[in-house]
Structures are given as C-alpha cells and as structure tokens.
Amino acid sequence: MPAQPQPRRLWRDVTLFDGHDTLPEPMAVVVAGATIERVIPMRELDRAEAEACEALGQGGVMTPGLVDCHTHLVFGGSRAEEFEKRLEGVSYEEIARQGGGILSTVRATRTASEDDLFRLARPRLEALMREGVTTVEIKSGYGLTVADELKMLRVARGLGAALPVRVVTTLLGAHALPPEFKDDSDAYIDLVCREMIPAAVEQGLADAVDVFCEKIAFSVAQCERVFAAAEAHGLPVKAHAEQLSNLGGSAMAARHGALSVDHIEHLDEAGVAALREAGSIAVLLPGAFHTLRDTQLPPIAALREVGVPMAVATDANPGSSPLFMPTLMLNLACTLFRLTPREALAGMTAHGARALGLHDRSLGRIVEGAPADLCLWDVETPAELAYAVQPGRLRQRIFKGELSHGQIQH
C-alpha cells in the first residue's frame, strides 16, 4: 500500500524563540508529521499553503519544547526532615556523613518495588511536562547495587514508554558510597565498572554514564576509572563536579570528552578552558544552589567570555533540589546567576539538548528538519517566561508533532 500522506499543521502569527534567539517578526511554523517542515515569516505565507494545513494555533510565543537535561526523578521516600535540619544550621556535607542525604534515599529506593517507583515518579514527570518539558534526562544513583540501579533505569524507560515525553537515561552508579562498601570505595568502583555498566549496556538501559566527583563521594582517579569503563562499552560520559570544592573533576571529564559537567560552582579558570577545548556543556543547577543556600556562584562571566554553552536544568531530586518547575529554573538562573532571559531559555532548549548529545538532530531548536517538539505560551515575549514565576502559561505542548497539552485554536 502507498504511504499515507503526513498531516500538515500550521501555527501562525507567533513570536518565535528558535532555541538561540527571538526572531524579529511574526512567524509561521508548518509541521509535517513529527518534523518541522517550514519556518517562515508571516508575510511569506501564501493563502494556498495555509489552506492546505490544519490550523492548530496562532499568536503567543512559540519555543522549542523544554529540555530538562539533569534530573533524579526516580526515588523513594522523602527528605523533608533534612530540609528542616539545614534550616537549623546543619550542612549538606554533615547530613551526608550522619547517614542522611543520598543514603537515606538509597534505603527507601531499595525497598520500593518497580511499580512503587513508577507510581511515585510519574506525577513528578507530569509536573515537568505541564511546564513545557518534552525531553528529560533521568539518572539512577539511589540504588547502588547492580539490581537496584537497573531497577531505577527500567522505571525511567517505562516512564518514557507510558507518557508523551522523550526520556534519556543515565547510569549514576558512582553517586555515593553504599554502606556495604563504607570501608572500601575502590571495591565499589570495581563493581560499577565490572558489573553495573556491562549489565546496563547488555539490557539497553543506559544512554550515558555519570559520576559524582566530590570529597563526600568519589575521587578524580576513581571517576576516571568509571569513565574508562563507560567508554569501553560505547557510552558517553558526564560528571557532577566542582559543586562543593574544586577537585579538578571538570577538567578530567573534559579530557574524556564529557557531554556535560554539572553544578560547577567551584570551577576554576583551568576548568573553564578545559570545557571550552573539549566542547563540553556547562550545566547550571540553580535549584540546588537555592535550596542549599549556597554562596559560591559558578563562573558565569568566564564561561560566557570564552563561549562555553550553558545549559539550565531543574536537578529535580529529593534532597538538594525538590523543585519540579522548569520555568522557575529560568527565573533562578537569571536572578541568582545573572544569566539573561535569552541565555536561560537557550539553556533549557538548544544547550540542554547539546548536554544530552541530541543536538545533531536539531533537538531543542525550531528550524526546518528538526523534531516537532514545541511549546506555545500565553505570554507576549520570551523574556516573560523567566521574568515571572507563574504556572498555567503553557497554551499548547506539542510532542513529535502531536498536541499533548491544550486545545486546537482555529
């Protein structure tokens, strides 16, 4: 049978942010199937072409679907008690040393079934989707055994299969030292390298490998061993680094061609230069900075000066960033880190896609040939998305060319 023609859909008179900049005049966007077919000024849209399309919307601000490139959405339990402790003056590092922090979530996640974890994670992901997210990265890292890490990754894959959202999975086995290995961190790194990574690859559960390179987690040398194992199995790497101190983890990650280095509050000039040389993305996580009441700002001016792309993500997790509102991250990136609204929005679209290695398909952009992941907002300018913290402004969410939120506007 001949192939059925793909449906052609039209949005007209939109103020368009293409992933990098706001275009200077009202635009029309034509989608064929799951792909953006035409992006043209309204003055060039002829009547015949318009009538050949199904009109889905007009007016408002159109952006690429948001890309949340750093989350920890799959977990059990709550850390509200630790939130209180921090407000009483106990540091994040001290809580971790007392057996709290990540390890308290590990205990709750290990005892939860896959069904439990799916049920808990789904509303968190749906909250991101209601705020315009069409692509999300979900990390493991709260199991810290082979079986429990794979369990988390299966849940993440299941969320992507059940909901209209693109889920990228990352194995974060080197997130914390589990209690079974409290006196032998090198033996745990052996487990990650020799058993965990191969099992995740064999079962097709991981798209990348991450590490937590920090004094309370793993050394630069240990993280480099994890990267070598990931590379041997064909997986790209990324790193949590320079969040609490400057160990040089970012420069090491850059030497391994890391997709991204995340947090980076303590990144130094050598680290900035290394990211620039490697083409790695600097992922800013203002939610964690805000929640932990940090005072060490990431080196925004230095990154900007040498042209290191900066992504912005929620870091949605139970401890340091229990925040599930992407547009709040736009606001915090501007108010706390002094990004411009344009930089912040690029950080959750084009640069977020680059941090996941998805830019080769023009994901996170509104250009001809790109995936038709789009958001139409009830605002007059893109800057309003960062300026105001206000739910309910998403008029339409389009994923792979299909309307998944909102109604058709004739």
Side-chain angles (χ1 to χ4, degrees):
M1 294 179 62
Q4 295 295 315
Q6 293 182 315
R8 298 178 76 240
R9 290 155 176 162
L10 170 68
W11 286 262
R12 57 188 300 154
D13 283 310
V14 297
T15 298
L16 194 145
F17 179 85
D18 68 1
H20 288 302
D21 294 295
T22 302
L23 302 191
E25 59 183 303
M27 301 294 290
V29 177
V30 177
V31 167
T35 303
I36 297 171
E37 183 183 77
R38 294 257 281 159
V39 181
I40 55 174
M42 276 300 299
R43 56 184 168 77
E44 296 180 15
L45 179 68
D46 62 57
R47 182 174 179 178
E49 182 171 19
E51 290 179 349
C53 299
E54 178 186 10
L56 258 66
Q58 65 180 35
V61 167
M62 177 170 278
T63 70
L66 300 187
V67 179
D68 195 350
C69 66
H70 183 131
T71 83
H72 305 254
L73 291 179
V74 177
F75 60 85
S78 168
R79 304 249 289 273
E81 181 180 348
E82 293 175 19
F83 177 69
E84 286 191 285
K85 284 184 177 180
R86 286 200 302 272
L87 292 173
E88 293 167 356
V90 184
S91 73
Y92 181 71
E93 293 183 64
E94 188 175 347
I95 288 171
R97 291 194 180 98
Q98 292 172 356
I102 292 170
L103 291 182
S104 67
T105 300
V106 169
R107 290 189 292 271
T109 301
R110 286 180 174 181
T111 60
S113 69
E114 286 188 34
D115 287 344
D116 289 337
L117 292 174
F118 184 95
R119 175 181 54 81
L120 292 168
R122 180 169 184 153
R124 300 169 192 146
L125 179 52
E126 289 174 334
L128 300 183
M129 293 166 61
R130 285 193 298 272
E131 280 278 297
V133 168
T134 54
T135 298
V136 62
E137 185 244 30
I138 301 178
K139 302 179 190 294
S140 65
Y142 294 129
L144 308 186
T145 68
V146 174
D148 288 306
E149 289 292 294
L150 298 181
K151 174 176 71 174
M152 293 183 67
L153 293 171
R154 281 193 297 271
V155 171
R157 286 279 198 240
L159 290 165
L163 297 170
V165 64
R166 183 179 292 98
V167 172
V168 177
T169 58
T170 297
L171 174 64
L172 181 56
H175 193 197
L177 188 63
E180 303 86 8
F181 290 85
K182 64 183 179 68
D183 296 320
D184 196 348
S185 59
D186 282 329
Y188 179 66
I189 292 297
D190 285 342
L191 176 72
V192 172
C193 295
R194 296 176 183 175
E195 298 184 37
M196 198 176 286
I197 291 173
V201 170
E202 182 182 359
Q203 297 183 32
L205 293 175
D207 299 313
V209 169
D210 199 349
V211 296
F212 188 15
C213 187
E214 193 53 76
K215 291 184 295 185
I216 62 171
F218 298 100
S219 70
V220 172
Q222 289 171 328
C223 292
E224 192 157 24
R225 288 173 55 199
V226 175
F227 284 176
E231 291 161 356
H233 287 84
L235 291 178
V237 299
K238 52 181 60 185
H240 292 59
E242 273 69 71
Q243 179 186 10
L244 306 173
S245 61
N246 181 17
L247 298 184
S250 295
M252 181 276 292
R255 290 196 299 272
H256 285 266
L259 291 173
S260 71
V261 180
D262 305 28
H263 285 292
I264 61 165
E265 283 87 345
H266 292 263
L267 186 67
D268 60 13
E269 290 185 10
V272 171
L275 297 186
R276 175 67 181 90
E277 180 68 22
S280 300
I281 307 302
V283 178
L284 307 176
L285 303 173
F289 184 93
H290 163 76
T291 301
L292 297 177
R293 298 183 296 164
D294 206 344
T295 58
Q296 176 67 45
L297 289 165
I300 301 299
L303 293 165
R304 185 186 285 138
E305 182 178 357
V306 301
V308 174
M310 293 177 282
V312 176
T314 62
D315 191 19
N317 74 70
S320 62
S321 188
L323 305 171
F324 304 88
M325 188 176 182
T327 55
L328 172 60
M329 297 305 115
L330 299 177
N331 176 272
L332 293 178
C334 295
T335 57
L336 297 179
F337 293 166
R338 301 298 189 266
L339 265 63
T340 66
R342 183 198 64 78
E343 288 175 323
L345 191 51
M348 291 203 84
T349 52
H351 296 328
R354 288 189 65 179
L356 297 178
L358 300 176
H359 56 292
D360 60 336
R361 292 183 277 157
S362 295
L363 194 76
R365 302 287 313 282
I366 301 180
V367 294
E368 294 174 1
D373 294 355
L374 305 165
C375 289
L376 189 64
W377 305 88
D378 273 321
V379 295
E380 294 185 3
T381 67
E384 290 180 52
L385 297 174
Y387 155 71
V389 180
Q390 180 181 344
R393 294 173 293 175
L394 183 63
R395 188 189 303 174
Q396 292 179 342
R397 175 186 181 273
I398 299 96
F399 178 64
K400 295 184 177 180
E402 298 293 332
L403 189 67
S404 63
H405 171 88
Q407 298 179 342
I408 296 174
Q409 297 176 296
H410 296 290

